[in-house]
Amino acid sequence: MSRTKPEVLFVCVHNAGRSQMAAALLQHYALGRVTVRSAGSAPADRVNPAAAKALAELGLDITAEVPSKLTEEDVQASDVVITMGCGDTCPVFPGKRYLDWDLEDPAGQGVDAVRPIRDDIDRRVRTLLAELLDHPA
């Protein structure tokens, strides 16, 4: 593979909460060493305000992010695809590493309920990054 950086795609239904938080956290910790994308099978109109507030507590701003529709190109360009509750709507391609993170959906919840989800994503992202940098895709 001629690429020097692994590419990770985070996918959830609305691309407004979980996948946006995961993408922002991975970009923050990776310091440019990983290409990060996020998308949704049925994207929302805007980022979940409680997810944005929970990340702001860590000094990360996702308020300018726009939920985007999952495409086959997104999946094909990625080395690791992490699904977060999108079920059968996530396309599967041979040769890709798939992880399914079973996370509670922050939709409709306040920031107090979103913090534990954010913290769970944070732990998983740190573990993923260590694996990617130890054993690049």
Side-chain angles (χ1 to χ4, degrees):
M1 182 179 291
S2 62
R3 250 187 300 166
T4 57
K5 293 196 296 188
E7 295 201 22
V8 176
L9 170 63
F10 293 103
V11 183
C12 67
V13 176
H14 301 297
N15 188 221
R18 295 167 289 188
S19 57
Q20 290 284 354
M21 288 191 289
L25 287 162
L26 183 55
Q27 285 174 332
H28 173 70
Y29 294 129
L31 303 171
R33 297 173 290 179
V34 177
T35 300
V36 182
R37 305 168 193 265
S38 72
S41 51
D45 294 332
R46 64 186 176 109
V47 169
N48 178 324
K53 187 177 277 190
L55 276 184
E57 293 174 353
L58 301 180
L60 301 175
D61 183 4
I62 61 168
T63 57
E65 297 298 325
V66 177
S68 61
K69 178 84 173 139
L70 177 66
T71 67
E72 285 190 17
E73 292 77 25
D74 289 331
V75 177
Q76 289 173 330
S78 301
D79 300 303
V80 181
V81 179
I82 299 172
T83 58
M84 305 171 171
C86 66
D88 296 337
T89 61
C90 292
V92 176
F93 293 95
K96 302 294 176 189
R97 178 178 172 202
Y98 287 88
L99 300 172
D100 184 44
W101 290 358
D102 186 16
L103 299 163
E104 189 177 344
D105 189 349
Q109 300 196 53
V111 71
D112 289 340
V114 174
R115 280 187 195 108
I117 301 168
R118 173 204 64 199
D119 294 345
D120 188 4
I121 292 170
D122 185 74
R123 283 188 293 276
R124 292 171 190 246
V125 161
R126 289 174 190 248
T127 299
L128 174 68
L129 181 60
E131 290 171 5
L132 290 173
L133 297 181
D134 235 11
H135 308 286

